Amino acid sequence: MGRLKYQRVPVTPFRQNCMVVSADSGRAVVIDPGGDVGDIVSTLGGMHVEAILLTHGHLDHAGGADELKEALTARQGEAVPILGPDIRDAFLLGTICDQAAAFGLQGMRNVEPDKYLEAGNRLTFLGETFEVRHVPGHTPGHIVFVNTAEGCAFVGDTLFRQTVGRTDFAYGDAEGLVKAIRTELFSLPDEMIIYCGHGMPTTIGEERKHNPFFPAEAPQ
Ligand SMILES: [Zn+2]
């Protein structure tokens, strides 16, 4: 436990937490590069990136993925794959430019992942296993990445410190989100660290006790 290093890089005007996860070997993976690709590249320094992982198709999480892939592929001399989210978010990845225009944001690109992921996939990067779980509701194809050995999970916009992700989109599902968090996240150990798409990290135990969306989970 604790073999890897975790750096949060807040990107876009939404201050989304792009995560750079790295090992002593000088290898890294990047999760949810929504934009500000220059900041991500400078955080990476000379590290070799094994993959770009996406939790869901919103612009602040995925809008910089294509540009980052292009920059890293040129530097590393081999294609760096974009993996995820679940294919049910394809409609979002294909409309990032439109989403960005609606917010007046420049430089974001639509994304065509090298591979969509699905629940039960087990990815091996940096000598570690990242298990894919499907946690829909914020978006239909939202996935999370769980690294049991390191005791942490990357949950995008599903569970936050004392709240949950927005569901006020045409495709949002508030009940579905709460249900999926209960089954897919609250089945994880209390001490598991949760890296959220916005704000500070938390733990499963803290949210089980204090998150107002889950009153039944609190000690009676
Ligand atoms: Zn989102």
Side-chain angles (χ1 to χ4, degrees), residues 56 58 60-61 138 157:
H56 67 294
H58 279 157
D60 54 330
H61 292 255
H138 175 72
D157 290 350

Side-chain angles (χ1 to χ4, degrees), residues 40 132 166 207:
I40 300 169
V132 175
R166 307 173 47 175
E207 297 317 307

